[in-house]
Short mmCIF file of all heavy atoms in Angstrom, two decimals:
data_model
loop_
_atom_site.label_atom_id
_atom_site.label_comp_id
_atom_site.label_asym_id
_atom_site.label_seq_id
_atom_site.Cartn_x
_atom_site.Cartn_y
_atom_site.Cartn_z
N THR A 394 34.13 39.86 -9.66
CA THR A 394 34.44 40.54 -8.45
C THR A 394 33.94 42.01 -8.44
O THR A 394 34.12 42.68 -7.38
CB THR A 394 36.01 40.53 -8.27
OG1 THR A 394 36.57 41.29 -9.38
CG2 THR A 394 36.55 39.10 -8.24
N THR A 395 33.49 42.51 -9.52
CA THR A 395 33.05 43.94 -9.64
C THR A 395 31.62 44.08 -9.91
O THR A 395 31.07 45.14 -9.79
CB THR A 395 33.99 44.67 -10.62
OG1 THR A 395 33.76 44.04 -11.90
CG2 THR A 395 35.40 44.69 -10.23
N THR A 396 30.97 43.00 -10.48
CA THR A 396 29.59 43.11 -10.93
C THR A 396 28.68 42.17 -10.17
O THR A 396 28.98 41.00 -10.21
CB THR A 396 29.48 42.86 -12.44
OG1 THR A 396 30.38 43.71 -13.15
CG2 THR A 396 27.93 43.10 -12.94
N ALA A 397 27.72 42.67 -9.54
CA ALA A 397 26.72 41.81 -8.80
C ALA A 397 25.62 41.33 -9.80
O ALA A 397 24.84 42.14 -10.35
CB ALA A 397 26.13 42.60 -7.69
N PRO A 398 25.62 40.02 -10.16
CA PRO A 398 24.62 39.59 -11.21
C PRO A 398 23.23 39.60 -10.68
O PRO A 398 22.98 39.24 -9.51
CB PRO A 398 25.16 38.15 -11.54
CG PRO A 398 25.79 37.74 -10.27
CD PRO A 398 26.44 38.99 -9.62
N ALA A 399 22.30 39.93 -11.51
CA ALA A 399 20.83 39.84 -11.15
C ALA A 399 20.30 38.48 -11.49
O ALA A 399 20.84 37.75 -12.34
CB ALA A 399 20.06 40.99 -11.88
N LEU A 400 19.21 38.13 -10.86
CA LEU A 400 18.56 36.78 -11.18
C LEU A 400 17.94 36.95 -12.51
O LEU A 400 17.00 37.81 -12.71
CB LEU A 400 17.50 36.56 -10.13
CG LEU A 400 16.98 35.11 -10.02
CD1 LEU A 400 17.98 34.11 -9.73
CD2 LEU A 400 15.78 34.99 -9.06
N THR A 401 18.31 36.27 -13.48
CA THR A 401 17.96 36.39 -14.92
C THR A 401 17.36 35.02 -15.40
O THR A 401 17.96 33.95 -15.21
CB THR A 401 19.14 36.75 -15.77
OG1 THR A 401 19.79 37.93 -15.19
CG2 THR A 401 18.75 37.02 -17.22
N VAL A 402 16.21 35.19 -16.12
CA VAL A 402 15.64 34.06 -16.73
C VAL A 402 16.47 33.43 -17.77
O VAL A 402 17.14 34.12 -18.55
CB VAL A 402 14.28 34.43 -17.29
CG1 VAL A 402 13.62 33.29 -18.12
CG2 VAL A 402 13.25 34.86 -16.20
N LEU A 403 16.57 32.12 -17.72
CA LEU A 403 17.42 31.41 -18.70
C LEU A 403 16.60 30.95 -19.94
O LEU A 403 15.43 30.64 -19.78
CB LEU A 403 18.03 30.20 -18.10
CG LEU A 403 18.92 30.38 -16.77
CD1 LEU A 403 19.22 29.11 -16.15
CD2 LEU A 403 20.14 31.24 -17.12
N GLY A 404 17.30 31.06 -21.09
CA GLY A 404 16.46 30.67 -22.30
C GLY A 404 15.85 31.85 -22.89
O GLY A 404 15.77 32.98 -22.36
N ASP A 405 14.95 31.55 -23.90
CA ASP A 405 14.32 32.63 -24.67
C ASP A 405 12.81 32.91 -24.09
O ASP A 405 12.30 33.87 -24.55
CB ASP A 405 14.25 32.31 -26.19
CG ASP A 405 15.54 32.16 -26.78
OD1 ASP A 405 16.47 32.98 -26.32
OD2 ASP A 405 15.82 31.31 -27.68
N ASP A 406 12.35 31.96 -23.35
CA ASP A 406 10.97 32.12 -22.95
C ASP A 406 10.94 32.90 -21.65
O ASP A 406 11.38 32.46 -20.60
CB ASP A 406 10.35 30.72 -22.67
CG ASP A 406 8.90 30.75 -22.33
OD1 ASP A 406 8.33 31.95 -22.19
OD2 ASP A 406 8.26 29.72 -22.26
N PRO A 407 10.35 34.13 -21.62
CA PRO A 407 10.37 35.02 -20.48
C PRO A 407 9.49 34.44 -19.33
O PRO A 407 9.61 34.78 -18.19
CB PRO A 407 9.81 36.35 -20.88
CG PRO A 407 9.02 36.01 -22.13
CD PRO A 407 9.71 34.87 -22.82
N ARG A 408 8.60 33.41 -19.63
CA ARG A 408 7.77 32.81 -18.67
C ARG A 408 8.45 31.62 -17.97
O ARG A 408 7.91 30.99 -17.12
CB ARG A 408 6.47 32.29 -19.29
CG ARG A 408 5.62 33.44 -19.89
CD ARG A 408 4.49 32.90 -20.76
NE ARG A 408 4.98 32.07 -21.85
CZ ARG A 408 4.26 31.42 -22.69
NH1 ARG A 408 2.97 31.47 -22.63
NH2 ARG A 408 4.78 30.76 -23.73
N SER A 409 9.72 31.27 -18.43
CA SER A 409 10.42 30.06 -17.78
C SER A 409 10.59 30.34 -16.36
O SER A 409 10.86 31.46 -15.85
CB SER A 409 11.72 29.97 -18.55
OG SER A 409 12.49 28.95 -17.86
N ALA A 410 10.61 29.29 -15.61
CA ALA A 410 10.75 29.27 -14.13
C ALA A 410 12.21 29.24 -13.72
O ALA A 410 12.59 29.44 -12.61
CB ALA A 410 9.94 28.12 -13.40
N HIS A 411 13.08 28.89 -14.73
CA HIS A 411 14.56 28.65 -14.44
C HIS A 411 15.20 29.96 -14.60
O HIS A 411 15.24 30.51 -15.73
CB HIS A 411 15.06 27.63 -15.46
CG HIS A 411 16.31 27.01 -14.99
ND1 HIS A 411 17.15 26.03 -15.66
CD2 HIS A 411 16.98 27.11 -13.73
CE1 HIS A 411 18.09 25.70 -14.92
NE2 HIS A 411 18.04 26.31 -13.79
N ALA A 412 15.84 30.40 -13.49
CA ALA A 412 16.60 31.69 -13.52
C ALA A 412 17.82 31.39 -12.67
O ALA A 412 17.87 30.63 -11.73
CB ALA A 412 15.78 32.83 -13.08
N ALA A 413 18.85 32.21 -12.89
CA ALA A 413 20.15 32.08 -12.13
C ALA A 413 20.82 33.48 -12.08
O ALA A 413 20.61 34.33 -13.02
CB ALA A 413 21.13 31.12 -12.74
N ALA A 414 21.42 33.80 -10.99
CA ALA A 414 22.25 35.03 -10.74
C ALA A 414 23.67 34.81 -11.02
O ALA A 414 24.43 34.70 -10.02
CB ALA A 414 21.92 35.60 -9.35
N CYS A 415 24.04 34.62 -12.25
CA CYS A 415 25.47 34.33 -12.56
C CYS A 415 25.81 34.92 -13.96
O CYS A 415 24.96 34.78 -14.93
CB CYS A 415 25.64 32.80 -12.66
SG CYS A 415 27.39 32.37 -13.02
N LEU A 416 26.87 35.63 -14.08
CA LEU A 416 27.26 36.25 -15.28
C LEU A 416 27.58 35.22 -16.40
O LEU A 416 27.38 35.47 -17.55
CB LEU A 416 28.57 37.08 -15.08
CG LEU A 416 28.44 38.28 -14.11
CD1 LEU A 416 29.78 38.97 -13.96
CD2 LEU A 416 27.36 39.33 -14.59
N ARG A 417 27.91 34.05 -16.02
CA ARG A 417 28.34 32.96 -16.93
C ARG A 417 27.27 31.84 -17.05
O ARG A 417 27.61 30.72 -17.46
CB ARG A 417 29.62 32.43 -16.60
CG ARG A 417 30.81 33.48 -16.42
CD ARG A 417 32.08 32.81 -16.24
NE ARG A 417 32.46 32.12 -17.37
CZ ARG A 417 33.53 31.17 -17.44
NH1 ARG A 417 34.34 31.05 -16.46
NH2 ARG A 417 33.87 30.53 -18.57
N ALA A 418 26.07 32.11 -16.59
CA ALA A 418 25.11 31.09 -16.58
C ALA A 418 24.84 30.39 -17.93
O ALA A 418 24.70 29.23 -18.04
CB ALA A 418 23.69 31.65 -16.08
N ALA A 419 24.81 31.19 -18.95
CA ALA A 419 24.53 30.65 -20.29
C ALA A 419 25.77 29.70 -20.77
O ALA A 419 25.60 28.76 -21.40
CB ALA A 419 24.44 31.77 -21.37
N GLU A 420 26.98 30.04 -20.32
CA GLU A 420 28.11 29.23 -20.66
C GLU A 420 28.25 27.86 -19.89
O GLU A 420 28.92 26.97 -20.37
CB GLU A 420 29.47 30.01 -20.48
CG GLU A 420 29.53 31.34 -21.05
CD GLU A 420 30.75 32.08 -20.63
OE1 GLU A 420 31.82 31.53 -20.55
OE2 GLU A 420 30.66 33.31 -20.30
N LEU A 421 27.56 27.85 -18.73
CA LEU A 421 27.68 26.70 -17.89
C LEU A 421 26.63 25.58 -18.06
O LEU A 421 26.50 24.71 -17.25
CB LEU A 421 27.71 27.10 -16.37
CG LEU A 421 28.76 28.26 -16.04
CD1 LEU A 421 28.55 28.56 -14.51
CD2 LEU A 421 30.14 27.67 -16.27
N ALA A 422 25.97 25.61 -19.19
CA ALA A 422 24.94 24.71 -19.38
C ALA A 422 25.32 23.24 -19.43
O ALA A 422 24.64 22.33 -18.96
CB ALA A 422 24.20 24.98 -20.78
#
Side-chain angles (χ1 to χ4, degrees):
T394 63
T395 58
T396 304
L400 194 64
T401 305
V402 173
L403 303 172
D405 299 326
D406 186 353
R408 297 170 299 176
S409 171
H411 199 185
C415 178
L416 297 177
R417 305 188 64 191
E420 306 172 44
L421 301 180

